[in-house]
Amino acid sequence: MLKFTANLSLLFTETDLIERFEAASRQGFTAVEIQFPYALDAQTLKNALTAAGQKLVLCNVDADDLLQGGEGLACVPEKQARFRQAVAQTLAYAEVLKPAAINVLPGRCLNKSRLPEYIKTFKENLCFAADTFSPLGIKTVFEAINTYDMPGFIIHSGAQMLALLDELNRSDLFMQYDVYHMQMMGEDPVKYIKDHADKIGHIQFADCPGRAQPGTGRIDFEQLFSAIEKSGYSGWVGAEYKPMGTTLDSLDWFRQLER
């Protein structure tokens, strides 16, 4: 049976972050993920998780200006010192919250002539993050993001993720496979997950196009969820979509699975 998390950065945003844990619990979620939890201190988050009977499955290392159209943090050569500071911040939270995985967003390269340098920097930073989180038993993951939503993103295909994993050859490093982003890039998530489940540390989904809840786009979620379940993947599956309407109205897919 699949294990679903609610991404509290996109779901239940009708309330403040601190109230979303209980809101997710009332709808049947036993685990959550947060893109960037740093607006609240770690102990406050821990208390909210405990009160709601939930586990934090995933969070991201800070990505600086990535969501505002910038290059981010993890691949920019001039920002390596700042990336290490961000990893130290995440480590402090991880020691309290004990997530299953921590995501390092690769980022953008807006000057194509510097792409090899940016890729090299990302590899170094990714290994630094894995060295930091692995002693806590936490997986380090990274994800590919489509270049329509984020032009210049340096990792944007399943093939790139596989090549990077093969090159770095680390048992504590996995891909975070985002169904929406890879569908946007024209890939077949069902086949990919079936073929590479052992290399995936976390899965996220939204319908495509639009990045809203299942049933609003062209993805066959019955087929997708069945494929994940049969693939041997044993991790969590994150609902990371932008609800069309209210969050409660967007959860029909989850209620049907629960029944």
Side-chain angles (χ1 to χ4, degrees), residues 15 20 54 61 93 118 169 191:
T15 63
R20 295 175 200 169
Q54 289 175 336
V61 175
Y93 275 70
Y118 275 52
N169 191 28
K191 184 179 187 307

Side-chain angles (χ1 to χ4, degrees), residues 45-59:
L45 292 167
K46 177 65 173 178
N47 294 343
L49 285 162
T50 301
Q54 289 175 336
K55 173 181 176 56
L56 179 68
V57 169
L58 177 84
C59 65

Side-chain angles (χ1 to χ4, degrees), residues 37 59 109 115 131 149 166:
C59 65
C109 178
L115 182 58
D131 288 341
D149 292 346
D166 184 59

Side-chain angles (χ1 to χ4, degrees), residues 80-180:
Q80 274 196 292
R82 288 175 59 190
F83 176 78
R84 294 194 172 205
Q85 291 171 355
V87 168
Q89 177 191 42
T90 305
L91 176 63
Y93 275 70
E95 289 172 338
V96 176
L97 301 174
K98 297 178 172 54
I102 293 173
N103 184 35
V104 178
L105 287 158
R108 293 183 174 98
C109 178
L110 300 179
N111 180 350
K112 291 182 180 180
S113 67
R114 297 191 68 191
L115 182 58
E117 184 184 1
Y118 275 52
I119 294 286
K120 178 177 180 292
T121 299
F122 177 62
K123 292 174 185 176
E124 293 173 356
N125 285 341
L126 192 58
C127 288
F128 175 81
D131 288 341
T132 301
F133 303 133
S134 186
L136 296 181
I138 297 172
K139 298 175 183 177
T140 298
V141 297
F142 67 101
E143 68 177 311
I145 291 183
N146 79 78
T147 53
Y148 301 98
D149 292 346
M150 287 196 176
F153 207 81
I154 65 168
I155 305 293
H156 50 261
S157 73
Q160 284 179 301
M161 289 193 288
L162 286 174
L164 196 152
L165 285 174
D166 184 59
E167 178 184 346
L168 298 181
N169 191 28
R170 297 186 60 125
S171 62
D172 53 3
L173 183 63
F174 297 83
M175 70 178 81
Q176 176 171 298
Y177 191 81
D178 191 302
V179 170
Y180 162 76

